[in-house]
Structure formats: structure tokens, C-alpha cells
Amino acid sequence: MKKKNILIVVGIILGISAATFISVKVNQKIREVRVERAEKMEKERKEEKIKKEEKAEKERRRIALWCVQNLEGPKIKEIKVGPVTKLGIAGTGGTSIDVEINNMKKNSISFIVDSEDLVPKAGTFDPHSEYDFTKKTDKSKNLKGIKVEEWKEN
């Protein structure tokens, strides 16, 4: 009887030890999966942010080039291009982009653009702006030597 009781106690101890071991391993695996999932989501967020920044930079350069080729006035050395702003629900009120040329508030222009290709269709100039639309696009002009940056309002 004593042997039987010892075997039962040993069996219970082994069972509890096995259950504890399995529980610890399962919890470790769950933590690993959560960490992997969190790292994957963080990586995807970073990649998405990089893609958005690259797209925004491409859009800025496209608008800046359009300005260089389609505006007349003093030599353009710097263009700050604001973000694409969609007005109304899903852009139904139009799309606009603001630019500032040569770091001068008086050379601020708000363009109404086609939301697909971002080509300005019209623009509102500051009353004292040094720039106006040209009669004809000058495709020979490029962005060489012109600083293009994001325009952030303070």
C-alpha cells in the first residue's frame, strides 16, 4: 500500500511537472508569435510610411517642375510645395496644392489641380506676386539647381 501511495504521489508530481512545462512552452510560443506579429506590423507601417513619403516627394517634384515650366517671373531658386489637399467628401470639392516660391509669402500660389495627374488647371496668386502664368509651356526648363522641399505651415 505504501508503494502504491508513493507511485500515486510520484505520478501526481510528474503530471503537474509535465502540465507546468507544457503551459510554460505554450506561453513562450504565444509571446513569440505576438512579438513576431508586432514586428511584422511595425515593418509594414514603416514600409507604408516610406512609400507615402516617396509618393509625396514625387508629387512635389512634379508640381515644382510644372511651376518652373509654366510660370514667368524672377529666377526660381527654391520651391516649397504643400501637401495635396482634397476638398469635400473624397475630393468631390476639388483638389488643391499650395506652393511658395523663393521663400517669399508674396509668391504663394494656390493651384486647383486635377486629382489624378496633379496638373494645375487654375491658380490663385497673392496680389503682390512676382509670378504669373506663361503663354506657353517651356519644356526645356528643368529642376536643376532648384531646391524643392515640403512646405509645412507653422
Side-chain angles (χ1 to χ4, degrees):
M1 180 92 155
K2 213 173 190 186
K3 236 182 186 182
K4 196 175 186 183
N5 287 342
I6 292 175
L7 285 176
I8 291 173
V9 170
V10 170
I12 291 172
I13 292 172
L14 287 175
I16 291 172
S17 296
T20 303
F21 177 79
I22 290 170
S23 175
V24 167
K25 287 297 183 184
V26 167
N27 283 334
Q28 283 177 338
K29 188 63 177 174
I30 289 170
R31 275 191 226 114
E32 288 173 8
V33 168
R34 286 182 179 165
V35 167
E36 286 173 9
R37 207 176 291 158
E39 288 172 350
K40 182 180 177 184
M41 289 174 64
E42 182 64 26
K43 181 180 177 185
E44 288 172 355
R45 274 194 291 267
K46 285 180 182 178
E47 288 173 354
E48 185 64 29
K49 183 179 178 185
I50 290 170
K51 284 180 186 178
K52 282 183 180 180
E53 288 172 356
E54 287 172 350
K55 181 181 178 193
E57 176 63 21
K58 187 176 180 180
E59 290 172 349
R60 273 193 295 279
R61 296 192 66 74
R62 182 183 302 159
I63 292 297
L65 179 61
W66 188 92
C67 289
V68 168
Q69 294 176 341
N70 290 280
L71 296 176
E72 58 187 4
K75 181 173 174 43
I76 297 175
K77 298 174 185 168
E78 177 182 359
I79 300 177
K80 292 181 181 178
V81 181
V84 174
T85 305
K86 294 188 180 216
L87 308 169
I89 299 171
T92 57
T95 305
S96 69
I97 296 177
D98 296 330
V99 300
E100 183 179 86
I101 300 174
N102 294 338
N103 207 24
M104 299 175 78
K105 291 287 182 202
K106 72 178 182 179
N107 292 329
S108 299
I109 308 164
S110 290
F111 289 114
I112 297 170
V113 297
D114 181 306
S115 61
E116 296 299 314
D117 61 10
L118 300 179
V119 173
K121 305 294 181 204
T124 303
F125 294 78
D126 182 282
H128 305 290
S129 178
E130 300 174 309
Y131 295 89
D132 202 356
F133 292 113
T134 59
K135 305 270 187 270
K136 186 177 180 199
T137 300
D138 186 351
K139 296 279 187 179
S140 68
K141 292 183 177 180
N142 58 42
L143 294 176
K144 189 174 183 178
I146 298 173
K147 182 179 177 183
V148 178
E149 58 185 39
E150 181 178 8
W151 184 11
K152 295 180 183 175
E153 283 292 327
N154 296 334

